Amino acid sequence: MKTEQKNQHDEDLSKGKGRRNFLSRSALLGLTGAGMSLGLAGCKDEVAAKPAAAAAAPALGHELAPGQLDDYYHFSSGGHSGEARILGIPSGRTLRRIPIFNIDPMVGWGITNESKAIMGTKADGSLKYTTGDTHHMHGSYKDGTYDGRWLFTNDKIHSRLARIRMDTMECDKITELPNVMGFHGIFTDKRDPVDQAINYTTRVFCGQEFHTPLPNDGRDLDDPSKWGCLFTCVDAATMEVRWQCRIDGNMELVASSYDGKLAASTNYNTENAPDLAGMMTAERDACTFFHIERIEKLVKEGKFTTIGNSKVPVVDGRKAANPDPKTAVTCYVPLGKNPHGVNASPDGKYFVTADKLSPTASVIELALVLKWFDGELKELREVVVAQPEIGLGPLHTAFDGKGNAYTSLFLDSQVVKWNVEQAIAQFKGDKTAKVVLDKIDVNFQPGHGYSSMGETKEADGKYFNSGNKFSKDRFLPVGPLHPETEQLINISGEKMVTLAEHTAYPEPHDGIIVRRDVVKTRQIYNMDDFPNAVKAENAGIERKGNKVHVRMMSQAPAFSMPVIKVKKGDEVTITLTNHDKVEDLTHGCAIPTYNICFIVNPQETKSVTFTADHEGAYWIYCTHFCHALHLEMRSRLLIEA
Ligand code: CUA
Ligand code: CA
């Protein structure tokens, strides 16, 4: 199909039909052409169309004409680059990088006072951390689908949770989890477990992968059997840690149920072992479930402990402390050895885990888990309602909203499409059940895979993105470090079809694909959102002792102060407000020798502080192309000896 499309495209071009013809064809494919006819200026007013219905879906393409807009946003983590990314789907265009745990001189993240305050500083004002490892991105929900308000991502290195505002696509809060190391899995909740009227995200669940002494203050170094892991609940609105639940084993990915009652994490080291051999001894590991309402009841009743200096309530979710299902806050559903990935099906009924070391997935019925917690099941294992054989090295599963699951097979370098209800029928003994429906090669070794709107009740079964860990020979060689491969697969038909592939700078792990009408960004800030905004009435230079505050405005093509005079040794703060109110008119501000570089978007205010420890003349200049006289947009910083 890919070749066919390409040939058709080539033919169109050779016949001189080119772009126009291609566009009309794109319109037939259900891709809107409105963005094109309106030109770029029209894009923000354009009502985002949902892609056309299933009839047109098998012809889904990936090529967009110049100026044509994508149908979906792809929000991706960036791994140990410490950032997050936004791409367009189906084109694969990179639209934006969002610095979070890393330093980014382009926007000034980690350089401006405002971003440093979000990232966290030491007593001397320098950044507490400059590294991070983002693995998972999940959005906030309302009524079982994305509300377009927030994205959340983790930092595995320093156990921090970051929140991104989706109107500006900037990180606005970072919370460090107490007594946690190796914060890996994360998921937003979707509904309140008690007050079902709260049908939106109020909590974020965070799993801990590396067990440590609790607290990690030098005790128990030689006795790992005393080490532990905490499952953490963070308040989505305040970003404060609400509670933690101590468990046996090491948590990997996290999932939450649509009714808000359950969260779960795959748990690959139920042995609590400190080394690989030990982590592989148990025949069964687990998917560990958390009964959110019961945990919060214990917290309310004061039935918790605290660890070290942290005041966060910690509930005991270890097996030994939870023998009776009717009062248990956790249960450990036995799965194969070292399971991976847990994903919620869009119908709200099942969690699917991948068994990694065996060629199977496990389907857990959530209604049965609740029954177990009510004491109505004999064996916990009864909650597993299917265990289809799907291929080697299964890791992560996505859904199409039509009852099918798509699981990445790391060892087979494939994605397998299988039917959940058929797998359940087969497990019950139906020998005619057709479970595995299709397999497709990917290049190579897929990790996470995710589908369009697949983590919501609006899973639409159009696209699947396979995040492949190795690209080998797929791209021009660029030295020993290879990019990763993202492959876009059309899952709208019976057979999967690979549409396109593009590179990803290492190392994205997970992502979500969000329909574009969900996302409502603003292109211009509101100046009044910044309490330190510089306006004509407060602009200028103010000295208090050796502290100098320079309040400056930018308006193309000039800074409001052509010359700034300070003395050597002064502590200088420059606050800069961009007074241009024109979309896409960003100014930059760099100061040689002083290691300063940041931008201010339309109507935005940012500030930097530094010690003027080198005398001389320094040109403050605009780094971001803004005007025909952009190069002339400079200001002299004169530092007197
Ligand atoms: Cu202002 Cu370039
Ligand atoms: Ca194990």
Side-chain angles (χ1 to χ4, degrees):
M1 167 133 186
K2 192 183 169 190
T3 323
E4 227 174 80
Q5 270 186 350
K6 190 175 182 306
N7 289 346
Q8 181 64 40
H9 192 185
D10 291 345
E11 199 187 306
D12 288 350
L13 289 173
S14 70
K15 283 183 187 158
K17 288 196 260 177
R19 192 162 151 242
R20 204 165 139 225
N21 179 277
F22 177 67
L23 256 186
S24 61
R25 207 155 50 81
S26 296
L28 281 176
L29 297 179
L31 302 169
T32 175
M36 191 63 206
S37 57
L38 290 171
L40 268 175
C43 63
K44 67 174 185 293
D45 297 314
E46 183 192 339
V47 180
K50 287 188 195 182
L60 282 180
H62 72 281
E63 291 175 79
L64 296 186
Q68 200 177 358
L69 305 184
D70 281 290
D71 289 322
Y72 296 87
Y73 287 89
H74 172 187
F75 299 103
S76 163
S77 66
H80 45 293
S81 70
E83 63 180 22
R85 294 146 191 186
I86 312 175
L87 298 96
I89 283 199
S91 73
R93 296 164 178 162
T94 299
L95 304 174
R96 180 134 181 211
R97 293 164 56 179
I98 308 172
I100 300 174
F101 303 113
N102 56 322
I103 293 169
D104 182 358
M106 199 288 280
V107 296
W109 192 255
I111 295 163
T112 62
N113 295 328
E114 292 74 19
S115 60
K116 280 181 173 171
I118 292 168
M119 294 172 82
T121 53
K122 298 190 249 187
D124 68 357
S126 64
L127 287 173
K128 187 172 179 192
Y129 305 115
T130 56
T131 56
D133 183 15
T134 61
H135 276 235
H136 304 107
M137 296 277 285
H138 295 291
S140 53
Y141 286 76
K142 189 168 193 282
D143 299 332
T145 191
Y146 298 125
D147 65 0
R149 194 163 180 209
W150 291 315
L151 296 164
F152 296 88
T153 190
N154 68 313
D155 164 23
K156 187 170 168 180
I157 304 177
H158 306 296
S159 294
R160 290 174 294 171
L161 177 71
R163 185 174 74 186
I164 296 162
R165 287 170 57 151
M166 287 177 79
D167 61 341
T168 59
M169 298 298 176
E170 282 162 357
C171 172
D172 75 337
K173 290 244 184 208
I174 293 178
T175 297
E176 190 170 344
L177 310 182
N179 295 304
V180 170
M181 192 180 292
F183 164 26
H184 190 166
I186 155 182
F187 221 103
T188 38
D189 81 342
K190 305 178 181 107
R191 189 166 202 163
D192 190 272
V194 184
D195 184 357
Q196 294 271 295
I198 302 176
N199 197 7
Y200 53 87
T201 295
T202 54
R203 305 167 179 79
V204 185
F205 300 119
C206 313
Q208 173 176 356
E209 186 170 348
F210 306 150
H211 53 318
T212 61
L214 293 172
N216 197 7
D217 58 359
R219 74 184 68 193
D220 302 332
L221 294 185
D222 298 319
D223 189 0
S225 70
K226 289 188 176 153
W227 300 5
C229 272
L230 302 168
F231 183 78
T232 303
C233 175
V234 177
D235 189 289
T238 64
M239 286 291 279
E240 276 166 22
V241 179
R242 284 193 183 183
W243 49 260
Q244 295 180 305
C245 179
R246 181 170 178 180
I247 64 144
D248 296 308
N250 294 175
M251 284 167 281
E252 194 236 2
L253 292 204
V254 171
S256 69
S257 67
Y258 282 90
D259 63 9
K261 293 179 193 296
L262 297 169
S265 182
T266 37
N267 186 336
Y268 67 80
N269 180 21
T270 47
E271 301 92 336
N272 254 345
D275 52 26
L276 178 63
M279 290 179 194
M280 306 287 284
T281 50
E283 268 318 303
R284 287 203 183 283
D285 281 305
C287 183
T288 300
F289 277 83
F290 299 87
H291 194 295
I292 306 303
E293 185 183 352
R294 285 186 193 166
I295 291 173
E296 297 192 350
K297 192 162 168 276
L298 290 185
V299 171
K300 238 186 209 167
E301 291 167 353
K303 292 175 182 160
F304 60 80
T305 54
T306 56
I307 298 172
N309 299 325
S310 164
K311 292 193 170 57
V312 172
V314 180
V315 169
D316 195 344
R318 286 176 288 181
K319 281 179 212 165
N322 292 272
D324 178 5
K326 285 185 172 168
T327 54
V329 294
T330 55
C331 70
Y332 297 72
V333 173
L335 297 177
K337 250 182 209 264
N338 296 44
H340 204 78
V342 54
N343 298 92
S345 65
D347 58 13
K349 287 189 195 166
Y350 308 108
F351 280 1
V352 173
T353 64
D355 294 334
K356 191 164 86 174
L357 297 188
S358 74
T360 55
S362 295
V363 180
I364 297 169
E365 187 173 334
L366 301 183
L368 292 176
V369 176
L370 288 171
K371 265 192 173 176
W372 188 86
F373 275 120
D374 287 340
E376 290 172 28
L377 293 191
K378 251 199 202 132
E379 292 290 335
L380 183 49
R381 180 71 192 170
E382 288 172 47
V383 304
V384 178
V385 294
Q387 198 170 20
E389 199 161 303
I390 52 173
L392 294 180
L395 293 183
H396 300 282
T397 301
F399 302 90
D400 62 7
K402 294 178 259 180
N404 302 311
Y406 300 78
T407 303
S408 56
L409 301 172
F410 182 80
L411 297 178
D412 280 340
S413 272
Q414 286 184 320
V415 172
V416 55
K417 172 182 180 178
W418 55 281
N419 186 277
V420 178
E421 292 301 334
Q422 289 289 305
I424 293 169
Q426 185 189 57
F427 196 68
K428 282 184 184 147
D430 181 353
K431 293 217 160 55
T432 64
K434 237 183 136 228
V435 180
V436 171
L437 302 175
D438 191 22
K439 283 189 179 184
I440 193 168
D441 290 338
V442 293
N443 314 90
F444 304 91
Q445 266 77 40
H448 279 271
Y450 32 94
S451 54
S452 42
M453 298 299 282
E455 289 184 355
T456 75
K457 290 199 162 176
E458 296 185 314
D460 61 16
K462 300 245 194 281
Y463 294 108
F464 175 94
N465 186 82
S466 179
N468 305 323
K469 293 291 157 203
F470 299 90
S471 63
K472 294 180 186 166
D473 55 1
R474 300 295 287 185
F475 308 110
L476 281 176
V478 286
L481 175 66
H482 290 238
E484 294 196 11
T485 328
E486 304 276 7
Q487 282 180 317
L488 188 68
I489 297 170
N490 178 351
I491 56 167
S492 63
E494 238 173 83
K495 293 266 166 207
M496 293 179 277
V497 180
T498 304
L499 294 172
E501 66 185 12
H502 62 84
T503 60
Y505 186 63
E507 177 174 70
H509 287 253
D510 196 11
I512 53 175
I513 301 173
V514 179
R515 231 177 38 234
R516 73 187 206 196
D517 63 277
V518 171
V519 179
K520 307 233 185 314
T521 65
R522 52 160 110 174
Q523 271 61 254
I524 295 175
Y525 285 92
N526 181 353
M527 196 180 287
D528 297 328
D529 287 352
F530 302 91
N532 58 342
V534 179
K535 298 176 183 173
E537 56 268 28
N538 67 348
I541 189 161
E542 182 190 9
R543 172 179 289 278
K544 282 182 188 158
N546 70 339
K547 290 192 175 172
V548 178
H549 198 155
V550 178
R551 294 189 181 85
M552 198 155 69
M553 300 175 284
S554 66
Q555 191 152 30
F559 292 114
S560 60
M561 298 170 72
V563 62
I564 298 160
K565 252 190 199 175
V566 301
K567 291 194 171 60
K568 185 178 176 182
D570 283 345
E571 184 196 283
V572 181
T573 295
I574 296 181
T575 303
L576 180 63
T577 297
N578 182 355
H579 277 249
D580 279 304
K581 210 173 181 176
V582 178
E583 184 169 341
D584 206 2
L585 213 167
T586 295
H587 294 289
C589 176
I591 311 179
T593 305
Y594 287 97
N595 204 24
I596 283 167
C597 184
F598 65 98
I599 55 167
V600 275
N601 290 302
Q603 303 282 297
E604 187 180 29
T605 300
K606 284 182 186 163
S607 68
V608 289
T609 300
F610 59 95
T611 302
D613 47 11
H614 304 273
E615 60 269 63
Y618 302 90
W619 284 104
I620 299 176
Y621 76 97
C622 177
T623 49
H624 212 91
F625 205 99
C626 57
H627 190 275
L629 295 173
H630 157 72
L631 292 180
E632 288 82 348
M633 187 165 172
R634 309 193 241 158
S635 174
R636 279 163 292 148
L637 172 64
L638 306 179
I639 300 175
E640 299 170 332

